[in-house]
């Protein structure tokens, strides 16, 4: 992460602990006196939340992977334009629960859309805009899904897929991390929440230099 850069995304499989860690990091940064904007994908604006309902609802197969990709980028475009870029321009930290890697992983590598097509769409919509740092929360898919099932909430259509799909998403995240070590940090997400949080903070402090 370059000095002063503050856009951080959290990625990984279902139940990996992204939301939990974003809350802990957001609390820490606010206590340090920083403005923090927390957002999620798909979602984060009124319209993008409507897209979220559309794309997560129903059963697997409701949308083709290409249709999902287009919906994700429509929502992402508005989120970046109206929330994320203005927040970064004000000097806020932006913590995003998923971002573009999710499309590359779920619709690209695991969903079957050719990855060069996903990259081309990203360039068309966002140019070279990307997070400064991405934490890839890595967990055995069975462990993550156990956490999701124990939450007693209705499952979305991505949480009703077969084990092979989750294995492909995990492999894809690890491949992205390997290809982009400057941006991506793999976090062992099976540890206790406070251990995971300390690990994340260590990486941020190292990369953010004098900012924290
Ligand atoms: N998707 C896509 O296909 N393409 C895209 O471009 C984008 C998204 C942007 C969004 O679902 C779905 O959209 C996603 C991919 C697809 N697939 N799914 N599902 P979502 O936002 O509803 O779900 P999620 O992103 O996977 O989040 P999640 O299931 O809520 O998990 P999480 O945020 O990683 O975990 P959590 O909510 O923090 O924790 C889950 C439970 O585990 C909870 O009860 C915690 O108390 C517990 N927990 C958390 N940390 C720990 C530790 N360390 N130990 C033990 N227990 C823990």
């Amino acid at each position: 992460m370059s000095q002063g850069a503050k856009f951080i995304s959290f990625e990984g499989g279902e139940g990996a602990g992204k939301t939990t860690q974003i809350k802990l990091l957001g609390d820490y940064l606010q206590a340090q006196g920083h403005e923090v904007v927390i957002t999620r994908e798909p979602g984060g604006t009124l319209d993008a939340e409507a897209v979220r309902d559309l794309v997560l609802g129903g059963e697997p197969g409701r949308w083709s992977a290409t249709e999902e990709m287009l919906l994700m980028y429509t929502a992402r475009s508005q989120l970046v334009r109206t929330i994320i870029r203005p927040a970064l321009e004000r000097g806020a930290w932006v913590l995003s629960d998923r971002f573009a890697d999710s499309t590359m992983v779920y619709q690209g590598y695991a969903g079957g859309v050719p990855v060069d097509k996903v990259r081309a769409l990203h360039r068309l919509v966002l140019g070279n805009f990307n997070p400064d740092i991405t934490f890839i929360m890595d967990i055995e898919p069975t462990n993550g899904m156990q956490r999701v099932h124990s939450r007693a909430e209705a499952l979305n259509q991505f949480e009703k897929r077969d084990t092979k799909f989750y294995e492909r998403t995990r492999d894809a995240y690890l491949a992205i991390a390997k290809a982009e070590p400057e941006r991506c940090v793999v976090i062992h997400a099976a540890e206790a929440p406070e251990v995971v949080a300390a690990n994340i903070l260590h990486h941020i402090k190292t990369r953010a230099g004098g900012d924290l």
Side-chain angles (χ1 to χ4, degrees), residues 8 13 48 58 82 97 110 114 126 159 177 207:
I8 302 179
T82 63
D97 198 336
L126 294 180
E159 293 163 341
R207 290 174 182 233

Side-chain angles (χ1 to χ4, degrees), residues 27-70:
D27 289 349
Y28 173 85
L29 291 170
Q30 272 170 344
Q32 300 291 306
H34 296 283
E35 182 190 351
V36 177
V37 173
I38 292 178
T39 190
R40 68 172 182 180
E41 283 215 38
T45 69
L46 271 180
D47 294 328
E49 289 291 326
V51 172
R52 179 184 179 91
D53 290 344
L54 267 181
V55 77
L56 299 195
E59 296 300 314
R62 176 184 183 186
W63 305 100
S64 73
T66 300
E67 290 158 0
E68 286 172 358
M69 171 181 73
L70 294 170

Side-chain angles (χ1 to χ4, degrees), residues 14-15 17-20 52 76 98 103 106-107 151 191:
E14 291 62 28
K18 300 175 289 298
T19 312
T20 303
R52 179 184 179 91
R76 180 167 302 135
R98 298 189 178 278
T103 313
Y106 283 79
Q107 283 67 53
R151 241 182 350 205
E191 314 235 41

Side-chain angles (χ1 to χ4, degrees), residues 47-149:
D47 294 328
E49 289 291 326
V51 172
R52 179 184 179 91
D53 290 344
L54 267 181
V55 77
L56 299 195
E59 296 300 314
R62 176 184 183 186
W63 305 100
S64 73
T66 300
E67 290 158 0
E68 286 172 358
M69 171 181 73
L70 294 170
L71 287 165
M72 297 295 180
Y73 266 96
T74 302
R76 180 167 302 135
S77 176
Q78 192 195 51
L79 175 68
V80 169
R81 177 172 56 82
T82 63
I83 304 282
I84 296 181
R85 278 193 198 275
L88 293 172
E89 280 160 17
R90 293 197 300 276
W93 289 74
V94 177
L95 310 181
S96 186
D97 198 336
R98 298 189 178 278
F99 194 67
D101 293 309
S102 286
T103 313
M104 181 57 84
V105 166
Y106 283 79
Q107 283 67 53
Y109 287 107
V113 179
V115 299
D116 59 328
K117 298 262 190 300
V118 185
R119 277 198 198 102
L121 182 61
H122 186 95
R123 271 196 302 275
L124 174 74
V125 177
L126 294 180
N128 62 3
F129 184 80
N130 268 309
D132 301 297
I133 184 166
T134 295
F135 289 109
I136 292 180
M137 309 281 293
D138 183 52
I139 194 166
E140 282 283 340
T142 46
N143 189 351
M145 283 311 288
Q146 267 168 11
R147 290 182 184 174
V148 169
H149 285 285

Side-chain angles (χ1 to χ4, degrees), residues 181-203:
E182 290 291 307
R183 175 173 67 87
C184 300
V185 179
V186 177
I187 297 290
H188 298 294
E191 314 235 41
E194 58 277 10
V195 175
V196 177
N199 196 4
I200 287 171
L201 198 53
H202 167 76
H203 282 286

